[in-house]
Amino acid sequence: MLRVGVIGCGYWGPNLIRNFANLKTSKVMTCADLSEERLKHMKQLYPTLNTTTNFREIIGDQEIDAVVIATPVSSHYPIAREALEAGKHVFIEKPLAQSVDEGRKLLALAREKERVIMVGHTFVFTAAVNKIKDLIWKGEIGEVYFISTSRVNLGIFQDDINVVWDLAPHDISIMNYILNARPTSVSAIGQSYIRPGIEDVAFLLLRYPQSTIANVHVSWLNPNKIRSTTVVGSKKMLVYDDVSSLEKIRIYDKGVTVTPHYDTFGEFQLSYRYGDISIPRLDDAEPLKIECQHFVDCIENGVTPRSGGTHGFDVLLALDAADRSMHEHGKEVTIDYPAPMESTR
Amino acid sequence: MLRVGVIGCGYWGPNLIRNFANLKTSKVMTCADLSEERLKHMKQLYPTLNTTTNFREIIGDQEIDAVVIATPVSSHYPIAREALEAGKHVFIEKPLAQSVDEGRKLLALAREKERVIMVGHTFVFTAAVNKIKDLIWKGEIGEVYFISTSRVNLGIFQDDINVVWDLAPHDISIMNYILNARPTSVSAIGQSYIRPGIEDVAFLLLRYPQSTIANVHVSWLNPNKIRSTTVVGSKKMLVYDDVSSLEKIRIYDKGVTVTPHYDTFGEFQLSYRYGDISIPRLDDAEPLKIECQHFVDCIENGVTPRSGGTHGFDVLLALDAADRSMHEHGKEVTIDYPAPMESTR
Amino acid sequence: MLRVGVIGCGYWGPNLIRNFANLKTSKVMTCADLSEERLKHMKQLYPTLNTTTNFREIIGDQEIDAVVIATPVSSHYPIAREALEAGKHVFIEKPLAQSVDEGRKLLALAREKERVIMVGHTFVFTAAVNKIKDLIWKGEIGEVYFISTSRVNLGIFQDDINVVWDLAPHDISIMNYILNARPTSVSAIGQSYIRPGIEDVAFLLLRYPQSTIANVHVSWLNPNKIRSTTVVGSKKMLVYDDVSSLEKIRIYDKGVTVTPHYDTFGEFQLSYRYGDISIPRLDDAEPLKIECQHFVDCIENGVTPRSGGTHGFDVLLALDAADRSMHEHGKEVTIDYPAPMESTR
Amino acid sequence: MLRVGVIGCGYWGPNLIRNFANLKTSKVMTCADLSEERLKHMKQLYPTLNTTTNFREIIGDQEIDAVVIATPVSSHYPIAREALEAGKHVFIEKPLAQSVDEGRKLLALAREKERVIMVGHTFVFTAAVNKIKDLIWKGEIGEVYFISTSRVNLGIFQDDINVVWDLAPHDISIMNYILNARPTSVSAIGQSYIRPGIEDVAFLLLRYPQSTIANVHVSWLNPNKIRSTTVVGSKKMLVYDDVSSLEKIRIYDKGVTVTPHYDTFGEFQLSYRYGDISIPRLDDAEPLKIECQHFVDCIENGVTPRSGGTHGFDVLLALDAADRSMHEHGKEVTIDYPAPMESTR
């Protein structure tokens, strides 16, 4: 039974409390928030829960094994650092931290203290994303040529971070996970329309190993909510539409076949395949429940986190590179990874 | 009654012959093609038509006023040059020519000879594109923030030109026309997957005056045929879906309103508007018929061509810049226009 | 402040408790259920709530003004009768009762005791249904020719009632409300596939005054969930798709115009109008909240219930007639209404 | 080489001429029409074609083997009778004739003269309908519980026949064909809104053997063009949407499983299956071409016509029964078939 303390009861915190409270393998002991009113509300929902306005009561509590941090991004680093130093496992809402430097320090500290650090990249726990990863790694898609994603909607404009930091973490986390790879470089172009200095529309171009390229379109300025990911492979193509409730993945058994050997005299041989479309049924378990259970398993059974510190840090590096490219008008920025990639297959 | 000769009876030529033949204001005298079989087929359809395998019979024919060129792009320049020199008006299938230099020479020659030169950018004659232009210029969309287009499908791969030269002319022609503006710079990234050296996927970023930016995604490697253009303005947003047969344009009465004056102490004020959606009924006349009639009107009544040589040349300059940027890994390429923009409002 | 007691804490009861608890104009005093576990759960959510396994404690409580009944349909009548006799106002989940006879007695009793009786036909409190009613009564649709509805999905099969009693109450309630009329006759055909004797697919044909006809298709045996209502009028047509989250109503400005006078020599003159489509933005307030507030208003401010006993009884009469027709292989059954229609305009 | 004469060059005739002219196994010798203008147009398209305003020139021509009749329905019978008497094979546009009596006489005559009679029910030659038939007969759908079809649009109103005679032939032909069965009874209800006495909206309920029931909704008064056929079976369900250009058939691997044996004490056991959806790729050959080739094969190779006289007559009997039921307010009308069903499996 993992004993958990949750810091931050705003928008996302209550979802984490609900899930950790409902698991048979974990128990929420205490929650912290600066607002007495939020705490009162949580107490009403979970009468046995302790509440506090001082997050250090959680960090200092010997009965608590793990700390869940769902506070604004600027406080991720100081709270996580204190928690790790006190010997707690930590679960941090995405993104890991607000700078590459902070992220690096948290990873080092977790390693030193031999504690689990996990980042709330929920998409890697969805049935759809795991289905895509399966299809790729079973070879059904063939070689992945490119991925094109759109994550656009009208608002919600953020006060302090631009649309890249707000929306692109999802796409980068998903692509790194399904490809089991990390982008080697990023180019990005963006524009601020509504609020000076905060980009609300951006296009990213990421190069992955083995000449896979990816295009990410993020926007707070689009009339329709679009959440689509198109994966084009040498054998099949698929479209993942996260807005669709029942038909999230469509697999197209079509593509182009190139005759492997040909000489300069012969004609270049291309043939198109047009085939069936299939829409696999997906499990509809709540991804957040799976994510919370996974955190427990990582701590209690030594499972390697699917969205551990390294995964979160890889995303942070790509976001940072995209941001720098965007401020240099699309100049390609190469990403250096300090550590080898953690396997998630 | 404009007397027309048509050179090239392959894929597109017969459509042009059919339209010029059906107009009450024009007559097709002769058609030329290298294939006897194609000529025989045209003769069967239009028994009064003369046919020839020598295009110079058309150019030399004193009874012919205008020459329509629907041949492969590499022959546009030499044929159009001869026709202009012989004093004919010319209609050239898009693109105008295969290089900026060729295009420039054709424009100069047409000006010198005082002949009409028109390029077959059919989209500017569609009801949908003209509806969008109207909406923008009546102020219903407000300031145009950005345009995002996708023109993707599976194949058809071209032998000699890449996907930018094949598909992007449509998007650039449409955007130049509806904005009544020309891109000042282009960045482009592409990749060749199927045939070495010929890009089959590309992303373009174009900057227009008044901080309008546009993103163009073209691909021969997509499972779905998508032809969509999203225009986001300060007042309204619209999506033009050319694949839809009955509901091509959706206008969203929603957007973001920024309080115009605010100081550093006050909070930034944004309000979202969510409103009705409307789908205007569009006229379903055949665009090519309108285009052919327009060519007649330009010659006989001195109307300024909507897709004249200058419009076609502007598109050529942007394509050329995109191609150069693509071969320099996305470096922003500035476009210099030799002549002021021709008005099409 | 209306003091409410809720009987039945199963599937729907908790939603009613939540809404009456959140209103500023009402307070939930006590809830009753046969299951101690359900009561414990409700107590945890609402610590100040009294709970009991004996519903008569609610009916006998002098502090309680109104009783909300969310129990299985067979107990609607006995509980509502006791509540009315004790002088309580009653809110009954749809349908009003399990037979016409029971429904008639409840109405008579409510009239005798001068108490409000309201039935939980939630659709008449939705923004979409009220928008349609508005459009009809403002004359925008013209004369309503016919209505065609589909309410089909896979399961959930009921133990004791057939698909007509399960799904058709919604369609009949909606149509009676938007037309402000009641069907004069019903024909119905159905079939039992899965469970002998319980129809799981049925088609109803209802005739309304002024030659409006309506077709209702209900089914537990359809791969797709469909909730659509098409209204065809002499001026406009509309489609209400309740499955769509953002575009529930589409209004088609098209139709047929008949030249009013013509003789036997002249040709019959028809002209089609094809026009714009519009998708009105709808308010997204929770219909159940509006419904609960409406119940309070009926009691405290003498408002006539939009889904009062008479509305619920009219629906009951139509269901009963449909059921009888279905068991006579589609024979048209005329409906006699004992009371004039209550106005809901 | 089958030598064909075509009578009627109005709306559909030219399509038949084009297809019979393009086949390698047939040749169109002569076409007839009352309009000189239509004949001139046909001559222009097919210079070697003979034309005549007197259809008897075709019937009397010894060089002609088969007569194709694409005239208004009232003339089907007299022309077909003369052609059969002259020893010609006949192809008649649907429906076979305008009354059951006429249809019966044509069948008898064809049998007596040992000539092929085929009716232009084109849908049975489409890839989609044949795919559905295959799926049913390979057992993939299981027992077919019911079929529900909608064939609705705005107009085109016919002068002389109601919406049942105009649109329902397609649905009845398709259902008879895929089920390899014929309806035993029909109930129908309709209404005339636009033109007095000519129904423009109708609902049919057909009972097929083995308790399959079918619902057919036809209308000239609907804002959307809908062509959908839902087949619900014990194993799978499918939806055929003929308006969709690329995804006509969707097969749902879901349904309800009933535990076969249960007693009155035990609970009724139902389990739902939810599974994948698949969209099979269909051949896109022109159905009319296949139909014309099939007519040639029936004559030259003794193949049994897929839409022969008997099939056309079965449809006629169902239409006649539906019409009679409609004029008796939905009374169930039993259909007696004079001959055993012709196999089309």
Side-chain angles (χ1 to χ4, degrees):
Chain A
M1 178 65 73
L2 187 78
R3 291 161 304 178
V4 172
V6 177
I7 301 174
C9 301
Y11 167 63
W12 198 243
N15 288 325
L16 290 161
I17 292 173
R18 173 171 56 80
N19 274 283
F20 280 113
N22 288 342
L23 287 181
K24 288 186 179 138
T25 52
S26 65
K27 189 182 172 185
V28 183
M29 310 294 286
T30 307
C31 70
D33 201 281
L34 295 175
S35 152
E36 293 276 10
E37 202 181 321
R38 294 300 301 161
L39 293 175
K40 194 176 151 198
H41 180 65
M42 298 318 296
K43 184 81 186 173
Q44 197 175 26
L45 289 173
Y46 305 94
T48 63
L49 195 65
N50 298 314
T51 61
T52 174
T53 54
N54 179 3
F55 76 85
R56 291 198 173 89
E57 283 189 22
I58 287 177
I59 287 174
D61 188 338
Q62 295 305 314
E63 301 238 307
I64 287 176
D65 307 307
V67 172
V68 172
I69 302 170
T71 58
V73 64
S74 58
S75 60
H76 284 187
Y77 172 70
I79 297 175
R81 186 174 49 81
E82 285 196 35
L84 287 167
E85 282 172 349
K88 308 300 187 198
H89 303 283
V90 294
F91 178 109
I92 306 176
E93 253 322 294
K94 65 104 200 159
L96 172 60
Q98 70 177 355
S99 76
V100 167
D101 191 51
E102 284 179 3
R104 186 178 293 118
K105 285 177 183 163
L106 288 181
L107 254 65
L109 190 58
R111 218 166 284 131
E112 179 196 325
K113 297 288 183 180
E114 298 186 335
R115 298 290 95 179
V116 168
I117 185 167
M118 190 168 134
V119 185
H121 286 295
T122 310
F123 274 99
V124 308
F125 297 95
T126 60
V129 168
N130 283 285
K131 181 75 184 180
I132 296 170
K133 182 162 189 161
D134 270 9
L135 288 165
I136 291 174
W137 288 95
K138 281 177 182 158
E140 297 209 17
I141 302 301
E143 185 189 343
V144 176
Y145 288 154
F146 82 99
I147 300 179
S148 172
T149 79
S150 287
R151 191 170 299 272
V152 306
N153 51 257
L154 185 61
I156 304 158
F157 295 86
Q158 301 286 331
D159 264 28
D160 45 357
I161 56 171
N162 63 31
V163 73
V164 172
W165 282 85
D166 183 38
L167 297 179
H170 296 305
D171 297 294
I172 297 169
S173 164
I174 291 170
M175 293 191 300
N176 284 7
Y177 178 66
I178 62 176
L179 294 173
N180 208 34
R182 303 181 293 196
T184 52
S185 73
V186 185
S187 306
I189 300 191
Q191 195 79 8
S192 325
Y193 291 109
I194 301 301
R195 186 180 302 209
I198 298 184
E199 289 82 0
D200 32 36
V201 176
F203 303 99
L204 279 62
L205 291 138
L206 304 102
R207 296 191 179 274
Y208 279 85
Q210 295 172 310
S211 54
T212 299
I213 64 169
N215 171 61
V216 173
H217 176 196
V218 285
S219 170
W220 288 327
L221 264 181
N222 204 288
N224 290 319
K225 182 177 179 179
I226 300 175
R227 300 277 181 268
S228 92
T229 306
T230 301
V231 179
V232 174
S234 55
K235 286 192 191 164
K236 291 191 183 175
M237 305 179 176
L238 70 82
V239 178
Y240 160 35
D241 175 5
D242 198 53
V243 172
S244 167
S245 55
L246 291 173
E247 307 190 354
K248 288 190 186 291
I249 296 179
R250 295 165 73 88
I251 304 161
Y252 296 79
D253 184 14
K254 63 181 178 183
V256 187
T257 306
V258 188
T259 309
H261 301 294
Y262 60 97
D263 58 38
T264 50
F265 302 110
E267 211 170 315
F268 188 82
Q269 296 295 321
L270 283 179
S271 63
Y272 299 96
R273 282 175 296 100
Y274 294 94
D276 296 353
I277 300 169
S278 69
I279 301 172
R281 172 160 171 78
L282 299 172
D283 194 14
D284 50 7
E286 187 183 0
L288 192 52
K289 183 182 171 183
I290 299 172
E291 187 179 12
C292 292
Q293 179 59 53
H294 182 69
F295 182 56
V296 176
D297 290 346
C298 292
I299 294 167
E300 310 231 313
N301 309 317
V303 172
T304 303
R306 208 184 284 179
S307 63
T310 308
H311 180 82
F313 188 57
D314 290 346
V315 173
L316 201 63
L317 285 166
L319 291 172
D320 175 71
D323 217 22
R324 282 188 285 135
S325 171
M326 196 158 67
H327 295 125
E328 296 190 54
H329 304 285
K331 197 190 146 211
E332 191 173 1
V333 173
T334 301
I335 309 173
D336 292 316
Y337 295 94
M341 193 177 186
E342 227 165 61
S343 174
T344 58
R345 283 185 66 187
Chain B
M1 177 67 71
L2 187 78
R3 290 161 306 178
V4 172
V6 176
I7 302 175
C9 302
Y11 167 63
W12 198 243
N15 289 324
L16 290 161
I17 292 174
R18 174 171 55 82
N19 275 283
F20 280 113
N22 289 341
L23 285 181
K24 289 186 179 137
T25 52
S26 64
K27 189 181 171 185
V28 183
M29 311 294 286
T30 307
C31 70
D33 200 280
L34 295 175
S35 154
E36 292 276 10
E37 201 182 320
R38 294 299 301 162
L39 293 175
K40 195 177 151 197
H41 179 65
M42 298 318 296
K43 185 79 185 172
Q44 198 176 26
L45 288 173
Y46 307 94
T48 63
L49 196 62
N50 299 315
T51 61
T52 174
T53 54
N54 179 2
F55 76 86
R56 290 198 173 90
E57 283 190 22
I58 288 177
I59 287 174
D61 188 337
Q62 294 305 313
E63 301 239 303
I64 286 177
D65 308 307
V67 173
V68 172
I69 303 170
T71 58
V73 63
S74 58
S75 60
H76 284 188
Y77 172 71
I79 296 175
R81 187 174 48 80
E82 286 195 35
L84 286 167
E85 281 172 350
K88 309 298 188 200
H89 303 282
V90 294
F91 177 109
I92 306 175
E93 254 322 294
K94 65 106 199 155
L96 172 58
Q98 69 178 357
S99 75
V100 167
D101 191 51
E102 285 179 1
R104 186 178 292 118
K105 286 177 184 163
L106 289 180
L107 254 65
L109 190 58
R111 218 167 282 131
E112 179 196 323
K113 297 287 184 181
E114 297 186 336
R115 298 290 94 178
V116 167
I117 186 168
M118 190 167 134
V119 186
H121 286 294
T122 310
F123 274 99
V124 308
F125 297 95
T126 59
V129 167
N130 282 285
K131 180 75 185 182
I132 296 170
K133 182 163 188 160
D134 271 9
L135 288 165
I136 291 173
W137 289 95
K138 282 179 182 155
E140 297 209 17
I141 302 300
E143 183 189 344
V144 176
Y145 288 153
F146 82 100
I147 300 180
S148 171
T149 80
S150 288
R151 191 170 300 271
V152 305
N153 51 254
L154 185 60
I156 301 152
F157 295 86
Q158 301 286 332
D159 264 29
D160 46 358
I161 56 171
N162 63 31
V163 73
V164 171
W165 281 85
D166 183 37
L167 298 179
H170 296 304
D171 297 295
I172 296 168
S173 165
I174 291 170
M175 293 192 299
N176 284 7
Y177 178 65
I178 61 176
L179 293 173
N180 207 34
R182 303 181 294 196
T184 53
S185 74
V186 184
S187 307
I189 300 190
Q191 194 79 8
S192 325
Y193 291 110
I194 300 300
R195 188 179 302 210
I198 298 184
E199 288 82 359
D200 33 35
V201 176
F203 303 99
L204 279 63
L205 290 139
L206 303 103
R207 295 190 179 274
Y208 279 85
Q210 294 171 310
S211 54
T212 299
I213 64 169
N215 171 60
V216 172
H217 176 197
V218 285
S219 169
W220 288 327
L221 264 181
N222 205 288
N224 290 320
K225 182 176 178 179
I226 300 174
R227 300 277 181 267
S228 92
T229 305
T230 301
V231 179
V232 174
S234 55
K235 285 192 190 162
K236 289 190 184 176
M237 306 179 174
L238 70 82
V239 177
Y240 160 35
D241 174 6
D242 199 52
V243 173
S244 168
S245 56
L246 291 173
E247 306 189 354
K248 287 192 186 291
I249 297 179
R250 296 166 71 90
I251 305 161
Y252 296 80
D253 185 14
K254 61 182 180 182
V256 187
T257 306
V258 188
T259 308
H261 301 294
Y262 59 97
D263 56 38
T264 51
F265 303 111
E267 212 170 315
F268 188 82
Q269 295 295 322
L270 285 179
S271 63
Y272 299 96
R273 281 175 296 99
Y274 294 94
D276 295 354
I277 299 168
S278 69
I279 300 171
R281 173 162 171 76
L282 300 173
D283 194 14
D284 50 8
E286 187 182 0
L288 191 54
K289 183 182 172 184
I290 299 171
E291 187 179 12
C292 292
Q293 180 58 54
H294 182 70
F295 181 57
V296 176
D297 291 344
C298 292
I299 293 166
E300 310 232 311
N301 309 318
V303 172
T304 303
R306 208 184 284 179
S307 64
T310 308
H311 179 82
F313 188 57
D314 290 346
V315 173
L316 202 62
L317 285 166
L319 290 172
D320 175 73
D323 218 21
R324 283 188 284 135
S325 171
M326 196 158 65
H327 295 124
E328 295 190 55
H329 304 286
K331 196 190 147 207
E332 191 173 1
V333 172
T334 302
I335 309 173
D336 292 317
Y337 295 93
M341 193 175 186
E342 228 164 61
S343 175
T344 58
R345 284 186 64 184
Chain C
M1 178 67 72
L2 187 78
R3 290 160 305 178
V4 172
V6 176
I7 302 175
C9 302
Y11 167 62
W12 197 243
N15 287 324
L16 290 162
I17 292 173
R18 173 171 56 81
N19 274 283
F20 280 113
N22 288 341
L23 287 181
K24 289 187 177 138
T25 53
S26 66
K27 189 182 173 186
V28 183
M29 310 293 287
T30 308
C31 70
D33 201 280
L34 295 175
S35 152
E36 293 276 10
E37 202 182 320
R38 294 300 300 161
L39 292 175
K40 194 177 152 196
H41 179 64
M42 298 318 296
K43 184 80 187 172
Q44 197 175 26
L45 289 173
Y46 306 94
T48 63
L49 195 65
N50 298 315
T51 60
T52 173
T53 54
N54 179 2
F55 76 85
R56 291 198 173 90
E57 283 189 22
I58 287 177
I59 287 174
D61 188 338
Q62 295 304 316
E63 301 240 303
I64 287 177
D65 307 308
V67 173
V68 172
I69 303 171
T71 59
V73 64
S74 58
S75 59
H76 284 187
Y77 171 70
I79 296 175
R81 186 173 51 79
E82 285 196 35
L84 286 166
E85 282 173 349
K88 308 301 188 200
H89 303 283
V90 294
F91 178 110
I92 306 176
E93 252 323 294
K94 65 107 200 153
L96 171 60
Q98 71 178 356
S99 76
V100 167
D101 191 51
E102 284 179 3
R104 186 178 292 118
K105 285 177 183 164
L106 289 181
L107 254 66
L109 190 58
R111 217 167 283 131
E112 181 196 323
K113 296 289 183 180
E114 297 186 334
R115 298 290 94 177
V116 167
I117 186 168
M118 190 167 134
V119 186
H121 285 296
T122 309
F123 275 99
V124 308
F125 297 95
T126 60
V129 168
N130 282 285
K131 181 75 185 181
I132 296 171
K133 183 164 189 159
D134 270 10
L135 288 165
I136 291 174
W137 289 95
K138 281 178 182 158
E140 297 209 18
I141 302 300
E143 185 189 343
V144 176
Y145 289 153
F146 82 99
I147 300 180
S148 171
T149 79
S150 288
R151 191 171 298 272
V152 306
N153 51 256
L154 185 61
I156 303 158
F157 295 85
Q158 301 286 331
D159 264 29
D160 45 358
I161 57 171
N162 63 32
V163 73
V164 172
W165 282 85
D166 183 36
L167 297 179
H170 297 304
D171 297 294
I172 297 169
S173 164
I174 291 170
M175 294 192 298
N176 284 7
Y177 178 67
I178 61 176
L179 294 173
N180 208 34
R182 303 180 294 197
T184 53
S185 74
V186 184
S187 306
I189 300 190
Q191 195 79 10
S192 326
Y193 291 108
I194 301 300
R195 187 179 303 209
I198 298 183
E199 288 83 359
D200 33 36
V201 176
F203 303 100
L204 279 62
L205 290 138
L206 304 103
R207 295 190 181 274
Y208 279 85
Q210 295 171 309
S211 54
T212 299
I213 64 170
N215 171 60
V216 173
H217 176 197
V218 285
S219 169
W220 289 327
L221 265 181
N222 204 289
N224 290 320
K225 182 177 179 178
I226 300 175
R227 300 277 181 266
S228 91
T229 305
T230 301
V231 179
V232 174
S234 55
K235 286 193 191 163
K236 290 191 183 174
M237 305 179 175
L238 71 81
V239 178
Y240 160 34
D241 174 6
D242 199 52
V243 173
S244 168
S245 56
L246 291 173
E247 306 190 354
K248 288 190 186 290
I249 296 179
R250 295 166 73 89
I251 304 161
Y252 296 79
D253 185 13
K254 63 181 179 183
V256 187
T257 306
V258 188
T259 309
H261 301 293
Y262 60 96
D263 59 38
T264 51
F265 302 110
E267 211 170 316
F268 188 83
Q269 295 295 322
L270 284 179
S271 62
Y272 299 96
R273 283 175 295 98
Y274 294 94
D276 296 354
I277 300 169
S278 69
I279 301 171
R281 172 160 170 77
L282 300 172
D283 193 14
D284 51 8
E286 186 182 1
L288 192 53
K289 183 183 172 182
I290 299 171
E291 187 179 13
C292 292
Q293 179 58 54
H294 182 69
F295 181 57
V296 176
D297 290 345
C298 291
I299 293 167
E300 310 232 311
N301 309 318
V303 172
T304 303
R306 207 185 284 180
S307 64
T310 308
H311 180 82
F313 188 57
D314 289 347
V315 173
L316 201 62
L317 285 166
L319 291 172
D320 175 72
D323 217 22
R324 282 187 286 134
S325 172
M326 196 158 65
H327 295 124
E328 296 190 52
H329 304 286
K331 198 190 144 209
E332 190 173 1
V333 173
T334 302
I335 309 173
D336 293 317
Y337 295 93
M341 193 176 186
E342 229 164 59
S343 175
T344 58
R345 283 186 66 185
Chain D
M1 177 67 71
L2 187 78
R3 291 160 306 178
V4 172
V6 177
I7 302 175
C9 303
Y11 167 62
W12 198 243
N15 288 324
L16 290 161
I17 292 173
R18 174 171 54 82
N19 275 283
F20 280 113
N22 288 342
L23 286 181
K24 288 184 179 141
T25 53
S26 65
K27 188 181 172 186
V28 183
M29 311 293 286
T30 307
C31 69
D33 200 281
L34 296 175
S35 153
E36 293 276 11
E37 201 181 320
R38 294 300 300 162
L39 293 175
K40 195 176 150 198
H41 180 65
M42 298 318 297
K43 184 81 185 172
Q44 197 175 25
L45 289 173
Y46 306 94
T48 63
L49 196 63
N50 299 314
T51 61
T52 174
T53 55
N54 180 1
F55 75 86
R56 291 197 173 90
E57 283 190 23
I58 288 176
I59 287 174
D61 188 337
Q62 295 304 313
E63 300 239 305
I64 287 176
D65 307 307
V67 173
V68 173
I69 303 170
T71 58
V73 64
S74 58
S75 61
H76 284 188
Y77 172 70
I79 296 175
R81 187 174 48 81
E82 286 196 35
L84 286 167
E85 282 171 350
K88 308 299 189 202
H89 303 283
V90 295
F91 178 110
I92 307 175
E93 252 322 294
K94 65 106 200 156
L96 172 59
Q98 69 178 356
S99 75
V100 167
D101 191 49
E102 284 179 1
R104 186 178 291 119
K105 286 177 184 163
L106 289 181
L107 254 65
L109 191 58
R111 218 167 281 131
E112 180 195 323
K113 298 288 184 181
E114 296 186 336
R115 298 289 95 176
V116 167
I117 185 168
M118 191 166 131
V119 186
H121 286 294
T122 310
F123 275 100
V124 308
F125 298 95
T126 59
V129 168
N130 282 285
K131 181 74 185 182
I132 297 171
K133 182 163 188 159
D134 270 10
L135 289 165
I136 291 174
W137 289 96
K138 281 179 181 156
E140 297 209 18
I141 302 300
E143 184 189 343
V144 176
Y145 289 153
F146 83 99
I147 300 180
S148 171
T149 80
S150 288
R151 191 170 299 271
V152 306
N153 50 255
L154 185 60
I156 302 155
F157 295 86
Q158 300 286 332
D159 263 29
D160 46 358
I161 56 171
N162 63 32
V163 73
V164 171
W165 281 85
D166 182 38
L167 297 179
H170 296 305
D171 297 295
I172 296 168
S173 165
I174 292 170
M175 294 192 298
N176 284 8
Y177 179 66
I178 61 175
L179 292 174
N180 207 36
R182 303 181 294 196
T184 54
S185 74
V186 185
S187 308
I189 299 189
Q191 195 79 9
S192 324
Y193 292 109
I194 301 300
R195 187 179 304 208
I198 298 183
E199 288 82 359
D200 33 34
V201 176
F203 303 99
L204 279 63
L205 290 138
L206 303 103
R207 295 190 180 274
Y208 279 85
Q210 295 172 307
S211 53
T212 299
I213 64 171
N215 170 60
V216 173
H217 175 198
V218 285
S219 169
W220 288 328
L221 265 181
N222 205 288
N224 290 321
K225 182 175 179 181
I226 299 174
R227 301 275 180 268
S228 91
T229 305
T230 301
V231 178
V232 174
S234 55
K235 285 192 191 163
K236 290 191 182 175
M237 306 179 175
L238 70 81
V239 177
Y240 160 35
D241 175 6
D242 199 52
V243 173
S244 168
S245 56
L246 291 173
E247 307 190 354
K248 288 193 186 291
I249 296 179
R250 296 166 72 89
I251 304 161
Y252 296 80
D253 185 15
K254 62 182 181 183
V256 186
T257 306
V258 188
T259 308
H261 302 293
Y262 60 96
D263 56 38
T264 50
F265 303 109
E267 213 171 315
F268 188 83
Q269 295 295 323
L270 285 179
S271 62
Y272 300 95
R273 281 175 296 100
Y274 295 94
D276 295 355
I277 299 168
S278 69
I279 301 171
R281 170 157 174 80
L282 300 172
D283 194 14
D284 51 7
E286 187 181 0
L288 192 52
K289 183 182 172 185
I290 298 172
E291 188 179 12
C292 292
Q293 180 58 53
H294 182 70
F295 182 56
V296 176
D297 290 344
C298 291
I299 293 167
E300 311 233 310
N301 308 318
V303 172
T304 303
R306 209 185 282 180
S307 63
T310 308
H311 180 82
F313 187 57
D314 290 347
V315 173
L316 202 63
L317 285 166
L319 290 172
D320 175 72
D323 218 21
R324 283 188 284 135
S325 171
M326 197 159 65
H327 295 123
E328 295 190 54
H329 304 285
K331 196 189 147 210
E332 190 172 2
V333 173
T334 302
I335 309 173
D336 292 317
Y337 295 93
M341 192 176 188
E342 228 165 61
S343 175
T344 57
R345 282 186 65 185

